Amino acid sequence: MRILVVEDEPDIADFLSRGLREDGYAVDVAVNGGDALDCIASTNFDVIILDIMLPDPDGLEVCRRLRARRVRAPVLMLTARDTTADRVTGLDAGADDYLVKPFAFAELRARVRALLRRPPDLVPTTHAIANMVLDPRMRSCTRAGSPIDLTPKEFAILELLVRNPGHVLTREMLADHVWGYDFDAESNVIDVHVRNLRRKVDDAFPTKLIETVRGVGYRLALPEEP
């Protein structure tokens, strides 16, 4: 799952991005409305956390523009304003939820989970490949009916593979989606996580789902139908 944090206060942006990454999300940060709109135009986000008091343009205008572009990602709006009129204005601009500063991170985390549980129209809530079932909303994975315990990073890698079955994903693509833009894709961290993931998902089963494409990256195999 990928989240965009749009916040011009560096301390808050850093606090949010670090906490969400620890929860296993890939997080990008924009510091003004223009950068946010550029990010949204080039990347599909699962949730957008949007501060209202932004420069050039403000969060309300960003929300209006992305809804005009038919961007369906849920928006959690952050603000220091706590009047009914302010909340109504934010929701009318296209926000899905509203959180007043200061807030506890545990509450923001719960609101993000609630937004992710809202399935987009026409998008399946679960993915089934062979005898493996992945449920991104519940963050659960089973194979042959048995639960597989994955770390947040392992789950994020597997989800990206499952969303792109049969396609080779480079280490750069995995780094960008799972760790964020500033992660060093040349390190061996990605290979270590994939190796652990393969051990959990494939070792106990004759049909292997995660394949290495030497010198390029990884892909999720599409087993032939019997």
Side-chain angles (χ1 to χ4, degrees):
M1 294 290 179
R2 190 162 193 164
I3 295 176
L4 175 64
V5 173
V6 190
E7 172 60 67
D8 65 327
E9 295 186 37
D11 289 345
I12 297 177
D14 181 63
F15 167 71
L16 293 176
S17 60
R18 284 190 294 106
L20 291 167
R21 284 172 181 147
E22 288 174 1
D23 285 347
Y25 301 108
V27 181
D28 298 310
V29 177
V31 298
N32 59 57
D35 288 347
L37 290 168
D38 288 343
C39 288
I40 294 164
S42 62
T43 304
N44 292 323
F45 292 99
D46 297 287
V47 173
I48 299 168
I49 299 175
L50 179 62
D51 185 39
I52 286 184
M53 299 299 291
L54 292 173
D56 189 33
D58 67 17
L60 292 172
E61 181 60 23
V62 169
C63 197
R64 292 188 187 102
R65 292 188 192 181
L66 69 89
R67 294 312 187 210
R69 296 177 184 177
R70 301 192 182 280
V71 174
R72 303 295 297 275
V75 172
L76 173 58
M77 197 161 274
L78 305 181
T79 182
R81 301 170 176 172
D82 190 23
T83 69
T84 299
D86 290 325
R87 289 194 294 272
V88 169
T89 300
L91 295 171
D92 283 347
D96 297 88
D97 200 358
Y98 197 99
L99 189 57
V100 177
K101 298 177 181 178
F103 53 82
F105 184 75
E107 181 177 3
L108 179 134
R109 178 190 286 133
R111 288 175 182 264
V112 167
R113 289 198 303 266
L115 291 173
L116 288 171
R117 285 197 296 269
R118 302 179 185 181
D121 295 342
L122 305 180
V123 176
T125 57
T126 62
H127 303 270
I129 303 289
N131 59 352
M132 183 180 71
V133 177
L134 189 79
D135 186 340
R137 306 292 164 179
M138 299 300 294
R139 301 186 72 79
S140 66
C141 178
T142 63
R143 188 152 186 196
S146 298
I148 299 174
D149 184 20
L150 301 175
T151 68
K153 288 291 189 290
E154 291 166 356
F155 191 94
I157 293 170
L158 183 59
E159 181 186 2
L160 188 60
L161 291 168
V162 166
R163 288 179 182 265
N164 299 274
H167 295 280
V168 179
L169 302 182
T170 66
R171 288 171 177 81
E172 289 76 15
M173 294 167 68
L174 290 171
D176 180 36
H177 184 91
V178 176
W179 280 270
Y181 287 124
D182 56 353
F183 181 77
D184 179 12
E186 298 301 318
S187 74
N188 70 341
V189 172
I190 295 172
D191 298 320
V192 170
H193 277 79
V194 173
R195 186 161 58 247
N196 291 336
L197 179 62
R198 181 183 280 123
R199 175 176 54 80
K200 294 178 181 181
V201 169
D202 278 343
D203 278 5
F205 301 92
T207 300
K208 310 304 180 185
L209 297 179
I210 301 173
E211 296 180 339
T212 299
V213 180
R214 192 171 299 278
V216 182
Y218 302 94
R219 69 180 166 206
L220 192 78
L222 292 172
E224 295 182 3
E225 296 291 337

